[in-house]
Amino acid sequence: MAALKAAGIDVWEQVGSVAEAVRAVEAGVDVVIAQGSEAGGHNYGSMSTLALVPAVRHALPNATVLAAGGIVDGAGLAAALCLGADGAWVGTRFLATHESQAHPEWKRRLVAAEGFETTRSHVFGRHHADFNPMRVLRNRVVREWEARVAEIPVDNTREPASLPVALKGIEVVFLACSDDPQQAALGINMINACRVHGVRHVVKLSAQSAGLQPPVSFGRMHAKAEQALSESGMAWTFLRPVFFVQSLLFFADSIQSGKLIAATGKGKVAWVDVLDVLDVAEVAEVAEVAASVLMQPTAHASKVYTLTGSTAHSFAAVTEMLHTATGRPVKHISPPAWFAKLVLPLASGMPRWQSNLAVELTVAISKGAQQAVSDGGAALLAAKPRAVQAFIAENRAAWGAGKG
C-alpha cells in the first residue's frame, strides 16, 4: 500500500460486507466497491446490493463508495445513488457489448437468461478458494456438479501428483498452456499423466511456429510438448494457429496515438480469429463447426491443422484498415529487432524471456513465416473464417474511434 501511494496510484477494493469496507478504508484504500450478492463472477457479497450499499455508507460517511451487483442501466445507477453510493461499478453488462471479446454464444446465453437462471457456485476454480464463490449461469456443467463440488479435482500441472484425480474417467483432453518459461515441462507433465491414467486422445492447442523448420519463438516450447505427445502412444491432434487478430488489442494504446509498432517489416500474416480456433476445437459447446475435433476425435487422430484466416495481410495493410474504421491515420513502424528487444520489456511490462520470444516471432513474420493461408481449419468451420476487417470494425472504440 505504501509503495502504491508513494507512486501516486489510487487503490480501489471490492468488498462484500460492512466490516470489510471499514477494514479497507482503515488500510488506506481510496475507493470502496460495495459488491452485493447479485454481482456476476467472483462474488463476495454477504447481502444484496440494496441492503449493503446504505449500510456501508452509514458506516463510512466520508468514504468514496461505488455500488456493484445487478446494475445494468441508468435506472440501476440512479438507484445506487439514492442508496448513498457515489457511483456504480458495472461488469457483466459489458460482456454483451459489441466491443466485448466474449464468445457470441456466451453473449447470446447471457442476454437470453432470466435472473433466476444464475447461481452462486464453487464449481469453477475450486483450487482458488479466495476467489469463490462465483455467480454464473446455471449451465449443464453447473447442474451436473453443484452438488458434488468436493469431487471436483484440483488441477495443477506444476504438481503432477494432483493430476490423477483430475483425469479420472476422462477419455479426451484439450491441452492449452499459457505463456510460461516452463511451458514445455508443464505440458509434458499433463501428457505423461494422461498416458498413465488412461486418456485415449489429447487435442493440443499448439502454435504455427512449432511447425517451422526449425521451430521458432514460442513454437520451440510447443514443439517439445508435441514430440512428447506424438511419442506417448495416445491418439493426438495438433491445432496450430498463426498470429491471433485479438493480439492487435495489445497495441491499442499505440494505435490510438497513430502508431502500430512491430518488427515485422513487410511480412504478411494470415491472421486468425481466436473465436474460429475455439469453434474448431468445439470448446464453447456451439454448433458452428462442421466437423468438431473434440466431438469426433477419432476422425482427427494424428492430424495437424494449421489455423489461419482466408487472406494474409501485412501490418501496413492493417493500419489502412484501422484508418478506414476510425478515420484516424495510423502508421506501421518496424524497428530493428535489436531495438525492439531492448525497448519492449520497458514499454509493455513483459518479462524479458517473453518479450525476446515475441520479437523473435515478429522477425520470423518479416521473413514470411506466417504468410501462407491454410484451408485445414477452414474445412472444419461451418462458415468462412472471420475477417481481420470485421474484427477491427467491431472494436473501433479500442483504436480510438470517436476521440478528438
Side-chain angles (χ1 to χ4, degrees):
M1 181 68 76
L4 291 170
K5 294 289 188 179
I9 297 173
D10 286 345
V11 180
W12 299 18
E13 182 173 348
Q14 190 164 261
V15 301
S17 69
V18 173
E20 290 176 356
V22 171
R23 175 201 52 76
V25 171
E26 290 177 347
V29 167
D30 298 285
V31 177
V32 172
I33 303 166
Q35 183 196 55
S37 55
E38 302 95 323
H42 303 298
N43 190 295
Y44 309 96
S46 59
M47 60 185 84
S48 70
T49 306
L50 182 67
L52 179 61
V53 173
V56 170
R57 169 54 71 210
H58 180 74
L60 300 167
N62 299 316
T64 301
V65 177
L66 301 182
I71 301 170
V72 299
D73 55 18
L77 172 59
L81 298 177
C82 289
L83 293 172
D86 296 293
W89 178 273
V90 180
T92 304
R93 173 62 185 86
F94 290 110
L95 283 175
T97 61
H98 292 294
E99 293 81 5
S100 166
Q101 290 303 299
H103 194 282
E105 176 65 9
W106 186 9
K107 294 182 183 181
R108 187 195 67 76
R109 295 186 188 192
L110 188 67
V111 172
E114 300 287 348
F116 60 81
E117 294 179 279
T118 70
T119 183
R120 288 215 301 179
S121 173
H122 290 263
V123 167
F124 302 104
R126 189 171 74 85
H127 51 299
H128 292 304
D130 291 342
F131 288 93
N132 270 297
M134 303 180 194
R135 181 167 293 284
V136 297
L137 291 176
R138 195 187 294 274
N139 63 7
R140 175 183 57 80
V141 173
V142 174
R143 291 193 297 271
E144 290 181 5
W145 288 94
E146 61 185 340
R148 303 161 52 201
V149 171
E151 300 177 34
I152 298 174
V154 176
D155 176 10
N156 188 347
T157 51
R158 296 183 190 277
E159 298 178 11
S162 73
L163 297 177
V165 178
L167 295 169
K168 182 179 179 181
I170 302 299
E171 295 186 348
V172 181
V173 166
F174 180 70
L175 178 58
C177 296
S178 59
D179 291 347
D180 189 284
Q182 300 301 316
Q183 178 180 308
L186 298 177
I188 291 171
N189 282 349
M190 176 59 83
I191 291 166
N192 289 337
C194 288
R195 175 179 54 80
V196 170
H197 297 287
V199 171
R200 294 188 299 106
H201 193 128
V202 176
V203 178
K204 173 169 168 50
L205 180 61
S206 186
Q208 182 263 3
S209 53
L212 299 176
Q213 297 300 325
V216 301
S217 182
F218 300 98
R220 285 195 295 275
M221 295 187 285
H222 285 292
K224 291 178 181 179
E226 284 188 1
Q227 181 177 353
L229 180 52
S230 63
E231 296 173 353
S232 69
M234 295 181 290
W236 53 266
T237 307
F238 299 149
L239 304 181
R240 292 176 175 170
V242 295
F243 211 78
F244 290 129
V245 67
Q246 280 77 10
S247 298
L248 283 172
L249 293 169
F250 174 80
F251 303 94
D253 287 344
S254 64
I255 289 172
Q256 289 190 23
S257 66
K259 300 183 290 291
L260 174 57
I261 305 173
T264 53
K266 296 181 179 179
K268 294 183 177 181
V269 176
W271 307 76
V272 66
D273 194 303
V274 70
L275 298 181
D276 286 332
V277 176
L278 291 176
D279 286 349
V280 168
E282 193 62 84
V283 174
E285 297 183 30
V286 295
E288 298 178 20
V289 185
S292 155
V293 174
L294 287 181
M295 296 296 102
Q296 301 175 4
T298 303
H300 305 284
S302 303
K303 292 187 177 180
V304 177
Y305 294 107
T306 300
L307 307 181
T308 74
S310 56
T311 308
H313 303 283
S314 68
F315 276 63
V318 168
T319 63
E320 291 300 316
M321 298 177 200
L322 290 163
H323 183 195
T324 299
T326 65
R328 298 162 60 94
V330 183
K331 181 180 180 181
H332 173 223
I333 298 175
S334 181
W338 67 265
F339 184 78
K341 285 187 176 182
L342 179 66
V343 172
L344 187 56
L346 304 176
S348 67
M350 283 185 185
R352 191 163 292 279
W353 69 266
Q354 187 178 31
S355 63
N356 282 349
L357 290 177
V359 174
E360 184 180 341
L361 180 59
T362 63
V363 171
I365 288 172
S366 73
K367 299 177 180 178
Q370 294 199 350
Q371 180 171 336
V373 172
S374 169
D375 62 359
L380 302 179
L381 291 169
K384 186 177 180 180
R386 294 168 176 85
V388 178
Q389 295 92 326
F391 174 81
I392 289 174
E394 290 168 2
N395 291 275
R396 293 174 66 254
W399 326 123
K403 291 188 176 182

